[in-house]
Amino acid sequence: MRNALHLLENFSNNKLLKILDVGCGTGHYIEQMLLRKHNVFGNDVAFGMLIKSKDKYSRISQNHKLSLSNIEKLPFQNSSFDAVLCIGVIEYLPDIHKALRELNRIVKEDGIIIISAPNLLSIKFLTDPYYLKRGAEYLLHKMGLRKINSGQITSDVSMNQDFKNRRFRFRELIDTFYNNGFKVTACKNVSFGPVSFFLKPLFSLKNNIGFSRWLENISNKKFGSFLRIFANRWVFELRKYRSHE
């Protein structure tokens, strides 16, 4: 959360913004942005999540600005928002391009999109044999050499055929953003590890957290930016480089 809010605060520069949280879930970001006095809208595809967001909204404001819709068809006019948050969403989408085009439509020309995505090549996936095994099974399935029963489908390494919990490569995302009218103007690397063996952590929770924070701090500095390829997630700041047609 702190990385997305940090990017948002830098952009706002103490100005009040009109912000949309797409895939707002239970409203954690909505609450924080309302506390900062921004004009905040929330949107989600799940009615139950909006109910929970409304509860958080009500602690600060009775003027609820929540809507139920799919990210591919948002109920807002063109260039409606100074900033759009899209945290923990794109990994669940069957068509990322449609979603990005819609975000491009509703954000102002000088606005920003703050979007997060999980990394396919994070430390835990590259070092734990469990994930390597699941990845091999998935590749065999895609090649038609192994059938996966519905009961075997999990969220690891894109095993879910409904595109749940998809993970990405860094360059793949940069190209996808660019092809939909955005350039990356900032990137925060979020969390590393834990290092595990068949899902069992090799180090204590305290040591894993310390290791993760140490790498995160280094990776978010210029000299350590190469470490981003091993982060668990990224938080990107996107800006339009042209109007998408």
Side-chain angles (χ1 to χ4, degrees):
M1 177 182 286
R2 70 181 187 279
N3 291 285
L5 292 175
H6 177 70
L7 291 172
L8 186 64
E9 288 174 0
N10 283 348
F11 173 71
S12 70
N13 195 23
N14 296 318
K15 296 179 182 178
L16 298 183
L17 306 176
K18 184 179 179 182
I19 303 171
L20 172 66
D21 185 1
V22 179
C24 61
T26 60
H28 291 297
Y29 285 98
I30 286 177
E31 186 175 39
Q32 291 300 314
M33 291 183 292
L34 285 173
L35 289 171
R36 291 163 171 78
K37 308 300 182 182
H38 294 298
N39 182 15
V40 185
F41 293 69
N43 180 272
D44 204 286
V45 72
F47 182 74
M49 290 295 183
L50 292 175
I51 294 297
K52 294 179 180 180
S53 286
K54 184 178 179 181
D55 290 340
K56 286 190 173 67
Y57 228 127
S58 300
R59 298 173 191 173
I60 304 168
S61 171
Q62 296 302 313
N63 184 19
H64 306 129
K65 300 173 182 176
L66 301 171
S67 59
L68 178 72
S69 71
N70 190 299
I71 191 173
E72 294 178 4
K73 193 172 183 181
L74 295 168
F76 306 105
Q77 295 182 350
N78 295 350
S79 303
S80 293
F81 296 97
D82 300 301
V84 177
L85 266 69
C86 185
I87 306 297
V89 174
I90 66 170
E91 56 262 46
Y92 298 105
L93 302 179
D95 193 329
I96 299 169
H97 298 277
K98 286 183 179 179
L100 287 172
R101 287 195 292 269
E102 186 68 346
L103 297 183
N104 192 302
R105 181 185 68 80
I106 65 169
V107 73
K108 295 179 180 178
E109 289 298 318
D110 58 350
I112 61 169
I113 305 288
I114 297 175
I115 191 167
S116 73
N119 180 15
L120 177 63
L121 302 177
S122 67
I123 284 178
K124 66 179 181 180
F125 294 134
L126 291 176
T127 59
D128 192 326
Y130 172 81
Y131 294 110
L132 297 176
K133 174 177 175 290
R134 299 300 278 177
E137 290 173 348
Y138 175 69
L139 288 176
L140 289 173
H141 168 66
K142 295 296 285 184
M143 294 168 63
L145 300 176
R146 184 177 187 274
K147 185 177 181 180
I148 299 176
N149 297 323
S150 59
Q152 294 177 287
I153 297 172
T154 72
S155 61
D156 347 309
V157 197
S158 296
M159 292 295 288
N160 192 310
Q161 293 174 326
D162 292 326
F163 303 96
K164 301 289 178 65
N165 230 6
R166 180 180 175 187
R167 296 178 176 91
F168 306 89
R169 291 174 289 107
F170 188 80
R171 176 47 57 182
E172 171 193 9
L173 281 171
I174 300 300
D175 291 344
T176 298
F177 296 147
Y178 187 82
N179 290 336
N180 288 281
F182 292 110
K183 60 182 178 180
V184 175
T185 49
C187 175
K188 295 290 185 180
N189 310 307
V190 183
S191 187
F192 290 78
V195 179
S196 59
F197 185 77
F198 284 96
L199 303 183
K200 293 182 178 180
L202 296 181
F203 307 107
S204 68
L205 177 61
K206 180 180 179 180
N207 287 338
N208 269 319
I209 292 174
F211 174 71
S212 177
R213 288 178 176 172
W214 178 69
L215 282 180
E216 189 174 321
N217 288 335
I218 293 175
S219 71
N220 283 319
K221 299 181 185 300
K222 188 174 182 179
F223 70 86
S225 61
F226 70 94
L227 291 170
R228 67 163 56 106
I229 62 173
F230 302 117
N232 288 346
R233 297 186 69 86
W234 304 290
V235 178
F236 297 96
E237 176 189 283
L238 309 180
R239 300 188 189 225
K240 292 184 180 184
Y241 69 85
R242 58 177 169 77
S243 296
H244 185 74
E245 297 180 358

